[in-house]
Amino acid sequence: MSLASRMQNSPVYDPVHLLGTVETIHDDGSYSVCCDGYVWPCRRAASCMLMPAVGDTVLLSGPDHQRVYLLAVIEQADPAASLLAVPGNLRVTAANVAIESRENTRLTSAQALDLNSANLRVQSDKGMCLVNEMEYVGKQVQSTVGFFHFIGNVYESIVDRLSQMSRSSFKVTEGVEQVRAGMIDYEAEKTARVHSKYTVVTAEDLIKVDGKQIHMG
């Protein structure tokens, strides 16, 4: 087929390339854009990630009057409110990604929020964590704090070995304190004192009291 024949058989286009103002946003995701007194029905192009709002100045383009798309938001009616939206899943790939905000940054997910990284660093002058249920699984935790304050109803700890070192230790128990062990060894460099209204010391085989002086009564 010759070039002249192909040109005769080719469809005739009437390209559209206009600036207009968004008048209506319909429930099905389509838009009505007014350009020089004429209202154009159109859909948002996939490349236009900035969600148009009523009153925004937008760019319309298409091969003919039946296929017109909203390509871009040229000027926002309210520049203080911007929304990036896509109909499906969104994935951003880059060598480095930085998100900066002069005021507040919020991440919200209706189901789950996953953070996967070889190294995780969180730095803040003040923080608050509100979690109904938390489970931590790891190999090692090292914490350095100036002051630690814990308030809870029940505290349970199950470990193979427990080591505590402190300069001073104070513990107050209002109810009953019980210790069950295979062997108990208490040693004080200066004074060891046990005082109560009633004191009972029992042994099945042997009770030994040893000292340079022993005062009874």
Side-chain angles (χ1 to χ4, degrees):
M1 183 181 295
S2 63
L3 177 61
S5 299
R6 290 198 298 267
M7 293 180 63
Q8 290 178 358
N9 296 329
S10 62
V12 178
Y13 292 102
D14 186 10
V16 176
H17 199 71
L18 299 170
L19 288 178
T21 304
V22 177
E23 285 194 346
T24 308
I25 302 176
H26 303 283
D27 295 336
D28 60 353
S30 62
Y31 297 83
S32 294
V33 180
C34 181
C35 301
D36 298 330
Y38 182 79
V39 177
W40 293 82
C42 60
R43 303 193 68 86
R44 182 166 59 105
S47 60
C48 181
M49 298 182 62
L50 180 61
M51 181 67 71
V54 176
D56 289 354
T57 301
V58 296
L59 173 63
L60 300 185
S61 184
D64 51 53
H65 289 62
Q66 303 299 324
R67 293 178 293 174
V68 179
Y69 294 92
L70 194 160
L71 292 187
V73 177
I74 304 303
E75 185 177 355
Q76 293 179 277
D78 183 11
S82 299
L83 174 62
L84 299 179
V86 295
N89 298 328
L90 175 63
R91 180 179 180 183
V92 179
T93 303
N96 296 283
V97 177
I99 299 177
E100 298 182 3
S101 174
R102 288 195 298 268
E103 295 183 359
N104 300 318
T105 300
R106 182 175 62 182
L107 298 177
T108 304
S109 176
Q111 295 183 359
L113 178 62
D114 296 333
L115 298 176
N116 297 320
S117 175
N119 295 284
L120 177 62
R121 178 181 179 184
V122 179
Q123 182 176 354
S124 176
D125 292 336
K126 185 177 182 180
M128 176 180 292
C129 181
L130 300 176
V131 180
N132 291 332
E133 295 182 6
M134 176 178 288
E135 181 178 353
Y136 174 81
V137 178
K139 294 183 179 180
Q140 182 178 350
V141 175
Q142 183 176 355
S143 176
T144 303
V145 295
F147 177 77
F148 178 78
H149 184 63
F150 177 81
I151 299 176
N153 293 328
V154 179
Y155 176 77
E156 295 182 357
S157 177
I158 301 175
V159 296
D160 291 335
R161 179 180 177 182
L162 177 63
S163 299
Q164 292 181 336
M165 299 181 63
S166 63
R167 291 185 177 179
S168 300
S169 177
F170 302 93
K171 183 169 66 172
V172 177
T173 303
E174 294 183 356
V176 178
E177 180 176 352
Q178 295 182 353
V179 179
R180 298 290 185 270
M183 183 179 68
I184 297 178
D185 184 2
Y186 288 107
E187 181 179 351
E189 292 183 358
K190 293 183 179 180
T191 303
R193 178 175 179 268
V194 178
H195 175 74
S196 66
K197 187 175 182 180
Y198 303 102
T199 302
V200 179
V201 179
T202 63
E204 292 184 359
D205 295 332
L206 175 65
I207 294 178
K208 181 179 179 180
V209 179
D210 185 11
K212 291 184 178 180
Q213 295 185 10
I214 298 176
H215 298 271
M216 305 287 293

